[in-house]
Amino acid sequence: MLSLSCADPWPEGSMGLEEKVVTTAGQTRERDRVVDTNNNNNNIFCSSINLDDSLTSLQWLQEFPIVGASVSQRANQQLHLFSQPQGSDTPASPLVEDPTSMQLTPRTPTAVASSRVQSLPGIMAPCHCLDEVDYKTNAHIRPPYSYATLICMAMQASKKTKITLSCIYQWITDNFCYYRYADPNWQNTIRHNLSLNKCFIKVPRRKDEPGRGSFWKVNPQYAECLLSSAYKKRRMAPVQSDLALQDKLRVNLQPQPKSQRLLREFKEATAAEQNCYPHQGTMPGSLPVVREGGGNKRHAPSVATINGDSKVLRRSNSPLFPVDEQKEIGPLKEDFDWDALLDSALSGKLNLEGGEPFSCIMKEEDLTVRGTLITPGEASVGTADTPVLVENQASNDVPDFDEEAFLATTFLENLRPEEEEQGHSDFLCSSTVNVDQLFDLGESLGGDPNFWIDSLL
DNA sequence: GAATGTTTATCTTGCA
DNA sequence: TGCAAGATAAACATTC
């Protein structure tokens, strides 16, 4: 179960002021992360943004292991999204299907980071599946998420419109034990990502607000692009490329919940009808993969000695979290489900129009984008009354699937209920989608329903 | 001084 | 082979 803490550990009082944050003139640096404020198009495909830019797209979302997370629930046709009741006993850590799941013997970070790859063909240990790793308690396995993903997860889990850097740190360390003991250099990478990644927007702290540093939020324009980007081609590790092999491995080597098997069989059956999935190999439904060594040196952050001469992040009394920040943050108890983000869109919780899940922020406050002040009016890229779908796709350097995504989005918008103004992150909290809806989506697109379902799964 | 934020450089892997 | 993407490291500036 892909679940992250999503309780409201961020007391309202702590963020109350932030809702009215006004950009101060104290920005000493102007960043070039510019939202096209003149573009009043509610362009769901972000025509003003080159999504293919490095660190621009939400392609990292595709890296999120969506399938393993809730496929069994889907098989039940009732997909309960972000709906773990507060205080439930469900694991608060991501990808926790069974909190008592594996605890690998200590290894070097590099070795464990690629444990999945190593455990594949022939040597795949049924239990050693990252889907079942409790990252909250397992300090030896690096979570297979990019830093951008981690940041966004923290933002989503906070259920707040914006969070501080220290909150991000804390959420990560609270939910990923690995980073609790890792060399704190990863924090540098977090900061680097926040600064560089266009998906994140800095919201300056008001001068009368105590604390240090700015707040950060997800760029709503990229939230808009969630769906379309979710269909984007993803990079595939070699072990992923062979879908047949992958399926075989998953079917034969991994113990699957019954519901999961049923869904798989169902998909296989429907796939046989449709012959093939033209995009399947690139869909986010693939297994999450820990790429061997990650992106660069492909080694995990060095793990500090647990005995602790090194700087080690501790949960509550870390110097990373000043008193005022710690008051903002409580233990994260709710679950967090990324595929629910997509599902929320399907069920209409994810507003694809001018609002968007994060747009409530934009309506209420000024913010800076790469140092550029964005007023609420400017920030709004459209209105609910006048949704502007892509007029200028040609200028959008987006692949051909945009047309499909366009249709999908149009369909999804038709599903959208009233809650768009309910605001904040509540859109993530409760929603259900059944498989029929997914099929309706596929059919409404006039294409292969399996493609869409596979895409969304 | 520590935390935060920005920028640059480098490296590795996967993909076209 | 070149590019994209992500990770890492480091230097530097700003703020508290």
Side-chain angles (χ1 to χ4, degrees), chain A residues 304-312 314:
Chain A
T305 56
I306 297 185
N307 292 341
D309 288 333
S310 313
K311 255 181 162 179
V312 175
R314 298 296 177 183

Side-chain angles (χ1 to χ4, degrees), chain A residues 139-368:
Chain A
H140 306 295
I141 301 182
R142 179 179 177 164
Y145 312 124
S146 71
Y147 285 108
T149 300
L150 292 173
I151 294 168
C152 200
M153 290 161 75
M155 291 176 172
Q156 292 290 342
S158 76
K159 298 177 94 174
K160 298 295 179 183
T161 57
K162 55 188 185 294
I163 65 176
T164 61
L165 179 64
S166 61
C167 291
I168 296 172
Y169 289 162
Q170 179 163 358
W171 186 87
I172 291 174
T173 53
D174 280 354
N175 289 277
F176 297 96
C177 185
Y178 177 87
Y179 292 103
R180 224 170 292 161
Y181 302 105
D183 187 305
N185 283 338
W186 65 268
Q187 295 168 358
N188 184 22
T189 307
I190 293 291
R191 294 194 300 273
H192 166 80
N193 261 271
L194 286 170
S195 288
L196 201 65
N197 196 321
K198 295 175 182 177
C199 294
F200 305 119
I201 302 173
K202 187 173 77 174
V203 182
R205 192 185 286 265
R206 273 196 326 211
K207 287 193 172 179
D208 57 342
E209 284 183 288
R212 303 187 66 169
S214 304
F215 297 99
W216 295 91
K217 68 168 73 170
V218 175
N219 187 335
Q221 291 211 10
Y222 293 97
E224 296 171 16
C225 300
L226 188 152
L227 269 182
S228 56
S229 66
Y231 296 126
K232 272 192 171 181
K233 190 170 186 177
R234 64 178 297 191
R235 289 179 154 200
M236 301 290 293
V239 292
Q240 277 187 294
S241 300
D242 187 341
L243 263 280
L245 174 61
Q246 177 181 320
D247 281 0
K248 186 177 180 180
L249 289 170
R250 285 196 295 193
V251 168
N252 295 335
L253 297 178
Q254 292 185 350
Q256 287 182 311
K258 182 180 178 182
S259 55
Q260 205 165 336
R261 287 201 311 271
L262 289 174
L263 179 63
R264 173 155 300 283
E265 290 167 7
F266 165 76
K267 288 172 67 178
E268 287 171 354
T270 53
E273 275 183 31
Q274 299 293 335
N275 242 343
C276 63
Y277 303 153
H279 300 68
Q280 182 176 19
T282 64
M283 287 299 112
S286 304
L287 276 173
V289 166
V290 176
R291 287 163 300 197
E292 180 74 39
N296 54 353
K297 295 170 186 174
R298 301 299 182 185
H299 60 75
S302 55
V303 175
T305 56
I306 297 185
N307 292 341
D309 288 333
S310 313
K311 255 181 162 179
V312 175
L313 289 176
R314 298 296 177 183
R315 182 174 290 214
S316 57
N317 50 1
S318 165
L320 283 171
F321 313 119
V323 174
D324 63 318
E325 298 292 357
Q326 293 189 34
K327 282 190 291 187
E328 294 179 9
I329 310 168
L332 299 167
K333 290 173 183 170
E334 264 186 41
D335 289 339
F336 182 88
D337 193 348
W338 263 99
D339 66 334
L341 203 56
L342 283 177
D343 292 334
S344 297
L346 280 176
S347 64
K349 302 287 185 183
L350 175 60
N351 179 14
L352 294 173
E353 296 177 0
E356 290 70 45
F358 307 97
S359 65
C360 52
I361 309 159
M362 310 289 281
K363 294 171 183 173
E364 296 178 2
E365 60 190 337
D366 294 345
L367 52 89
T368 58

